[in-house]
Amino acid sequence: MKPVSLIQFLIEERRAGHINAELSLLIEVVARACKRISVATNKGALGGVLGMAAGEGDAASINIQGEAQKKLDVISNEILLEANAWGGHLAACASEEMEDPQQIPDMYPKGNHLLLFDPLDGSSNIDVNISVGTIFSVLRCPDHVTEPKVEHFLQPGTEQVAAGYVVYGPATVLVLTFGHGTHEFTLDREVGSFVLSRRGIRIPEETAEFAINMSNQRHWEAPMQRYVGELLAGTEGPRGKDFNMRWVASMVADVHRIITRGGVFFYPLDAKIQAKGGKLRLMYEANPMAFIVEQAGGAATTGRARILELQPTALHQRVPVFLGSRKEVETATHYHVEADGAR
Ligand code: P6P
């Protein structure tokens, strides 16, 4: 069968009325920017882009999250900003790496979309050559808003018109949804284009594989202790089957495994991060991943509420994340809701 390129897929989606020309251009531009990020990450030590970004003096550069920036964090952020500035498809961008939204320069036309992204998630894995990725979310800019402010970005995840990620692994793979299924494209490096490799992905409802950072176990809430304890008890416990565990510490890689073969991913509240509200960011990690996972038949909650229905209160807000195979997410969420009800 003749391979379907990303461009052809976008034309199909426009003909189906799922997206408009501006959104189609936006996705093309983001995909092209991610190809450049893929080239930069694939150079590894040869590209002079490993290690920490330079800050004042000998200090590392620190981003809005209070995290030391890797050179590739900064490079990836710049690639996405530059690629999206001139096309006329965006009203503004927001990034994990920047405190405030970035307006489109006055010399360029503005569009009707807002783009949010984590330019290089999991960047702590770069220097040890483990897969990292770009996560992005697209919202409509409210009508008549020409200089979008933070409050214009603070829309629930149900308002997303597109979401996707690119995982820079052995292959460079784009996973994308417009709300009409979740689809996967693999980068054909010889041609330089993304080619449709899976249409209409479905995550198995059940799984025997979970992803969580076990080193935080003593800090978890009681329902999380109970739930994971049952998985670890395997055939000797109430679940009656053994579970396997994976933790890449790169959300894009962990989610892509779940998109590919099922599984469940948790970054729950724990005593260490309770005050911050969680580890992962709502607007450009949890919301896009929740949209992608739900469109593939999975579920995504905070352990107490559907992620996509949360009303955001801050651009860099953090939330707990439970996502993946529907039945496991529902069980873990039920334990938390039941425990709250018993209080
Ligand atoms: P921990 C990477 O820094 C990240 O934001 C996600 O990609 C990943 O799932 C998580 O944090 C890893 O967190 O606490 O295991 O290092």
Side-chain angles (χ1 to χ4, degrees), residues 70-121:
K70 297 283 190 178
K71 286 176 190 165
L72 271 172
D73 282 325
V74 176
I75 291 166
S76 302
N77 194 56
E78 288 306 316
I79 287 172
L80 282 159
L81 292 177
E82 181 196 324
N84 281 286
W86 50 271
H89 51 278
L90 279 190
C93 290
S95 165
E96 182 201 45
E97 300 299 331
M98 304 184 305
E99 183 158 6
D100 298 314
Q102 171 110 347
Q103 303 301 324
I104 297 302
D106 289 339
M107 76 278 262
Y108 297 129
K110 291 185 189 248
N112 301 304
H113 290 91
L114 300 174
L115 176 66
L116 303 96
F117 51 82
D118 180 355
L120 205 61
D121 181 73

Side-chain angles (χ1 to χ4, degrees), residues 249-324:
S250 177
M251 186 185 197
V252 178
D254 279 315
V255 170
H256 191 63
R257 184 188 57 254
I258 290 166
I259 285 288
T260 304
R261 68 186 191 207
V264 63
F265 170 101
F266 299 104
Y267 212 111
L269 272 185
D270 69 42
K272 288 189 307 179
I273 54 174
Q274 183 92 22
K276 288 184 185 174
K279 161 92 181 205
L280 303 175
R281 292 80 171 182
L282 173 61
M283 297 305 295
Y284 39 80
E285 289 175 337
N287 266 343
M289 290 306 199
F291 191 17
I292 289 162
V293 164
E294 284 199 4
Q295 283 293 312
T301 74
T302 61
R304 291 172 166 92
R306 185 181 175 220
I307 285 175
L308 292 182
E309 291 176 352
L310 296 177
Q311 174 52 54
T313 54
L315 191 59
H316 301 292
Q317 171 178 356
R318 296 169 188 258
V319 292
V321 175
F322 296 21
L323 65 75

Side-chain angles (χ1 to χ4, degrees), residues 20-47:
N20 62 26
E22 187 177 290
L23 181 53
S24 179
L25 173 60
L26 191 165
I27 297 300
E28 273 189 74
V29 167
V30 168
R32 195 176 311 126
C34 289
K35 282 192 274 190
R36 287 188 58 202
I37 295 172
S38 174
V39 169
T41 53
N42 280 191
K43 283 189 176 9
L46 304 180

Side-chain angles (χ1 to χ4, degrees), residues 2-321:
K2 185 171 174 296
V4 175
S5 69
L6 175 63
I7 307 296
Q8 287 168 277
F9 180 83
L10 293 174
I11 290 168
E12 282 174 13
E13 289 295 287
R14 281 179 59 184
R15 287 177 180 155
H18 295 163
I19 61 174
N20 62 26
E22 187 177 290
L23 181 53
S24 179
L25 173 60
L26 191 165
I27 297 300
E28 273 189 74
V29 167
V30 168
R32 195 176 311 126
C34 289
K35 282 192 274 190
R36 287 188 58 202
I37 295 172
S38 174
V39 169
T41 53
N42 280 191
K43 283 189 176 9
L46 304 180
V49 294
L50 298 185
M52 309 312 285
E56 298 296 319
D58 295 337
S61 164
I62 303 298
N63 68 9
I64 163 63
Q65 317 292 340
E67 296 165 345
Q69 287 180 305
K70 297 283 190 178
K71 286 176 190 165
L72 271 172
D73 282 325
V74 176
I75 291 166
S76 302
N77 194 56
E78 288 306 316
I79 287 172
L80 282 159
L81 292 177
E82 181 196 324
N84 281 286
W86 50 271
H89 51 278
L90 279 190
C93 290
S95 165
E96 182 201 45
E97 300 299 331
M98 304 184 305
E99 183 158 6
D100 298 314
Q102 171 110 347
Q103 303 301 324
I104 297 302
D106 289 339
M107 76 278 262
Y108 297 129
K110 291 185 189 248
N112 301 304
H113 290 91
L114 300 174
L115 176 66
L116 303 96
F117 51 82
D118 180 355
L120 205 61
D121 181 73
S123 53
S124 58
N125 289 301
I126 290 172
D127 296 352
V128 294
N129 201 31
I130 288 174
S131 300
V132 292
T134 298
I135 311 171
F136 62 89
S137 170
V138 184
L139 295 166
R140 287 186 191 82
C141 183
D143 292 343
H144 316 304
V145 172
T146 55
E147 296 281 330
K149 302 288 182 294
V150 170
E151 63 264 26
H152 301 118
F153 283 83
L154 299 185
Q155 303 174 35
T158 47
E159 293 301 307
Q160 292 175 100
V161 293
Y165 63 78
V166 177
V167 52
Y168 309 111
T172 289
V173 176
L174 162 68
V175 171
L176 177 64
T177 185
F178 295 121
H180 300 273
T182 291
H183 315 287
E184 177 195 88
F185 303 81
T186 300
L187 180 60
D188 176 343
R189 290 190 181 283
E190 289 169 41
V191 177
S193 65
F194 281 105
V195 177
L196 182 65
S197 39
R198 287 178 71 197
R199 187 195 289 265
I201 293 169
R202 303 305 292 168
I203 299 173
E205 284 214 336
E206 308 213 347
T207 183
E209 191 163 71
F210 69 101
I212 195 165
N213 183 337
M214 286 298 293
S215 70
N216 296 322
Q217 184 175 20
R218 67 188 184 284
H219 302 298
W220 296 337
E221 297 176 279
M224 202 69 211
Q225 301 272 6
R226 173 189 171 198
Y227 173 75
V228 174
E230 290 180 359
L231 304 188
L232 295 174
T235 51
E236 292 139 45
R239 304 301 301 274
K241 68 178 185 181
D242 287 335
F243 284 75
N244 195 10
M245 201 203 97
R246 290 284 183 274
W247 187 249
V248 185
S250 177
M251 186 185 197
V252 178
D254 279 315
V255 170
H256 191 63
R257 184 188 57 254
I258 290 166
I259 285 288
T260 304
R261 68 186 191 207
V264 63
F265 170 101
F266 299 104
Y267 212 111
L269 272 185
D270 69 42
K272 288 189 307 179
I273 54 174
Q274 183 92 22
K276 288 184 185 174
K279 161 92 181 205
L280 303 175
R281 292 80 171 182
L282 173 61
M283 297 305 295
Y284 39 80
E285 289 175 337
N287 266 343
M289 290 306 199
F291 191 17
I292 289 162
V293 164
E294 284 199 4
Q295 283 293 312
T301 74
T302 61
R304 291 172 166 92
R306 185 181 175 220
I307 285 175
L308 292 182
E309 291 176 352
L310 296 177
Q311 174 52 54
T313 54
L315 191 59
H316 301 292
Q317 171 178 356
R318 296 169 188 258
V319 292
V321 175

